[in-house]
Amino acid sequence: MSNHATGAALPDFALRHASEFAAAAGLVIDEADGTRVRGHIDLGADHHTPWGIVNGGVYTTAVESAATIGASMAVAGHGQRAVALHISTDLLRSRTEGRAEVTAEPVHQGRTQQIWAVTISDERPLARGQIRLQNVDLDRGSA
């Protein structure tokens, strides 16, 4: 995937190219650009706590992953990527299995920072998150 404005290469977001951690969390990206990311997670036993419900870390990972993808796509044309600075996730309802839809949209997109809101739901909200990200140059090792 590349940014058409500059030709800047973006990573392949397919699970087969993800780290083991990201692949285990299971977020599949269905559509992504710098203003919206949509995806889904097929929740099941691999995501459970010892008590048999989906671990909240799965939702927090989806919040960070979806927002970072969108925020990075938004600044790729400037030779930048976005890195998380603060994540807040509210767990609203427990779940044991089924498809969860993930939608991330920007609240603020500034020159140096962005804030994105993420909703995770089935027929009703399961979790919601907000993340603040820093825009950093691609040639920097970390934030």
Side-chain angles (χ1 to χ4, degrees), residues 45-138:
D46 288 344
H47 300 114
H48 285 183
T49 67
W51 298 274
I53 60 172
V54 173
N55 188 304
V58 173
Y59 300 132
T60 301
T61 299
V63 168
E64 181 174 7
S65 297
T68 300
I69 288 168
S72 290
M73 292 181 86
V75 298
H78 301 290
Q80 295 181 310
R81 64 184 165 139
V83 296
L85 296 176
H86 181 267
I87 304 167
S88 173
T89 306
D90 295 308
L91 308 175
L92 305 172
R93 220 167 29 91
S94 64
R95 192 69 205 264
T96 58
E97 63 182 16
R99 179 159 289 192
E101 301 294 332
V102 178
T103 303
E105 296 177 319
V107 173
H108 168 76
Q109 291 182 298
R111 186 178 55 77
T112 60
Q113 292 191 359
Q114 300 183 57
I115 297 173
W116 282 63
V118 182
T119 58
I120 303 170
S121 60
D122 50 17
E123 65 279 352
R124 298 182 318 184
L126 296 168
R128 68 175 185 173
Q130 183 167 291
I131 181 170
R132 184 167 51 96
L133 305 110
Q134 182 78 30
N135 302 329
V136 298
D137 294 338
L138 285 170

